[in-house]
Amino acid sequence: MSYRDFPKVELHLHIEGAAPPAFIRGLAQEKHVDISGIFDERGNYRFRDFLHFLKVYEAATQVLQSPEDFRRLTLAVLEESAAHGVVYSETFLSPDFCGGSDVAAWREYLHAIREAASQAERDFGITLRGIVTCIRHFGPEQAKKTARCAAETADDWLCGFGMGGDENAGAPGDFAYAFDMAREAGLRLTSHAGEWRGPDEVRATVRDLGVERIGHGVRAIEDLALVEDLAERGVVLEVCPGSNVALGVYPALSAHPIEKLRERGVKVTVSTDDPPFFHTTMTQEFDNLARVFKWTEEDFAALNRIAIEAAFCDEDTRSAILKKLETT
Ligand code: ADE
Ligand code: ZN
């Protein structure tokens, strides 16, 4: 049995990281950019480790040069997500890759992305909401520019602010100004942490950035007092098991802490992160959890409820998606 048709809520997807390699190759050809080195002989993305992954990722974004490119990308990504049963997606958008975090340019890219989102909602029945994300290894000054883009365009659609990139660059507190700016604009907050660094990084991220969700956060399991604290505070983890295994955070899903975190009362959700890079889909994530940890339809229904409760969307959207989850 496969969970392909089971409805799903995904909270952690990077729009550029979801670009199918053939899509990126097509744009590279159109624009006469040679990025052949980022693909293997089968045409998949090729990378050695996490830092090399970030380099390959940034090389792929070089061919995404206009709002129209992002319109096409968003449509392609949402069609694929919908084919795997995703009814609601929160996706990380990076103004850094959309005009270099210049507010005027960002508005044009965002307009194009939202146009694609409306079309995908009509054509494929999937709802998209955006989270602006800054990139940690680009540094705190660039993060402020990105936060300004987010603050200027914050509304019911552009509803969150977050941070991805190299977790080993600097400390969470270095980015407090950017997160404060986003919070003051009414945006909800999440940040990657506890993917590469351990429990102290998760603790500092919650404390210094005031986030209510953590991207990954899985290495919190190495400190059970922290796990208890996350459970008590209701901090939600955007867990991406396939990503963690593909990047070598854990050797196999059977060694992944998602089940232990869940058993200890932490609110876990499941996402793909950058699906073509990690050879995964939401269907595969669900099927793998069913096989390895014996999760059932009831477990996945509970997972969906946690995810939609933790979504950064407005209440009308949340109720509409909840209804959809109950009736499909
Ligand atoms: N950007 C895209 N994928 C990422 C990941 N897994 N960790 C940090 N930054 C990312
Ligand atoms: Zn991520």
Side-chain angles (χ1 to χ4, degrees):
M1 188 228 165
S2 165
Y3 279 91
R4 188 173 177 114
D5 295 330
F6 197 89
K8 302 172 187 77
V9 174
E10 179 162 42
L11 299 181
H12 187 122
L13 181 76
H14 300 260
I15 192 85
E16 311 85 9
F23 180 91
I24 293 294
R25 258 195 309 280
L27 279 184
Q29 254 161 16
E30 277 175 32
K31 295 167 198 284
H32 307 289
V33 180
D34 181 12
I35 48 165
S36 50
I38 70 170
F39 301 112
D40 66 16
E41 53 293 335
R42 292 165 138 198
N44 293 316
Y45 295 114
R46 180 214 310 261
F47 52 88
R48 287 184 302 275
D49 52 27
F50 178 59
L51 290 182
H52 189 219
F53 157 75
L54 290 176
K55 287 224 165 70
V56 167
Y57 186 106
E58 283 161 28
T61 64
Q62 277 173 38
V63 304
L64 295 162
Q65 296 171 350
S66 68
E68 172 59 15
D69 294 341
F70 271 86
R71 193 191 62 75
R72 285 163 63 189
L73 171 64
T74 304
L75 204 54
V77 167
L78 291 177
E79 182 170 14
E80 177 69 6
S81 290
H84 287 279
V86 178
V87 296
Y88 177 85
S89 173
E90 264 174 29
T91 296
F92 294 122
L93 309 172
S94 303
D96 285 303
F97 300 133
C98 296
S101 282
D102 169 79
V103 174
W106 163 242
R107 282 190 196 281
E108 289 183 23
Y109 280 85
L110 180 60
H111 180 77
I113 291 168
R114 290 186 62 162
E115 251 178 22
S118 299
Q119 189 181 337
E121 188 145 9
R122 284 193 306 274
D123 294 353
F124 315 127
I126 180 169
T127 299
L128 179 68
R129 292 292 180 264
I131 299 177
V132 159
T133 184
C134 64
I135 296 170
R136 185 157 167 169
H137 55 277
F138 291 177
E141 285 310 309
Q142 190 64 17
K144 282 185 203 169
K145 286 179 67 180
T146 306
R148 194 158 295 120
C149 288
E152 291 283 338
T153 54
D155 63 8
D156 279 352
W157 195 90
L158 200 286
C159 52
F161 181 74
M163 178 163 68
D166 182 8
E167 194 181 341
N168 283 307
D174 300 342
F175 299 88
Y177 187 99
F179 277 75
D180 287 347
M181 201 189 314
R183 183 188 302 101
E184 281 162 25
L187 291 161
R188 313 269 300 269
L189 304 176
T190 176
S191 179
H192 286 60
E195 179 189 20
W196 299 104
R197 283 183 164 176
D200 286 349
E201 188 72 14
V202 175
R203 226 182 241 113
T205 298
V206 173
R207 185 190 62 221
D208 298 343
L209 301 182
V211 297
E212 50 187 305
R213 294 189 344 214
I214 296 270
H216 301 285
V218 286
R219 290 196 53 199
I221 198 66
E222 294 163 32
D223 180 341
L224 294 182
L226 171 63
V227 171
E228 202 172 302
D229 191 44
L230 294 175
E232 244 167 50
R233 290 172 188 238
V235 173
V236 173
L237 303 189
E238 303 153 5
V239 182
C240 308
S243 161
N244 294 153
V245 172
L247 285 172
V249 181
Y250 299 102
L253 183 58
S254 54
H256 193 283
I258 187 167
E259 180 68 337
K260 290 194 185 103
L261 289 161
R262 193 174 76 121
E263 280 167 4
R264 289 175 182 272
V266 177
K267 289 185 178 173
V268 302
T269 62
V270 170
S271 296
T272 56
D273 211 7
D274 309 286
F277 281 87
F278 306 139
H279 307 287
T280 189
T281 62
M282 281 298 275
T283 304
Q284 274 191 53
E285 296 293 334
F286 275 44
D287 287 351
N288 290 343
L289 289 162
R291 194 185 63 256
V292 173
F293 295 118
K294 308 289 174 244
W295 286 17
T296 64
E297 287 198 14
E298 287 83 74
D299 291 311
F300 290 114
L303 185 79
N304 275 340
R305 278 194 298 276
I306 289 172
I308 196 63
E309 289 303 331
F312 290 163
C313 60
D314 60 90
E315 296 312 315
D316 286 352
T317 305
R318 195 187 322 282
S319 310
I321 301 297
L322 257 172
K323 218 170 263 161
K324 219 173 186 177
L325 292 172
E326 279 160 15
T327 54
T328 46

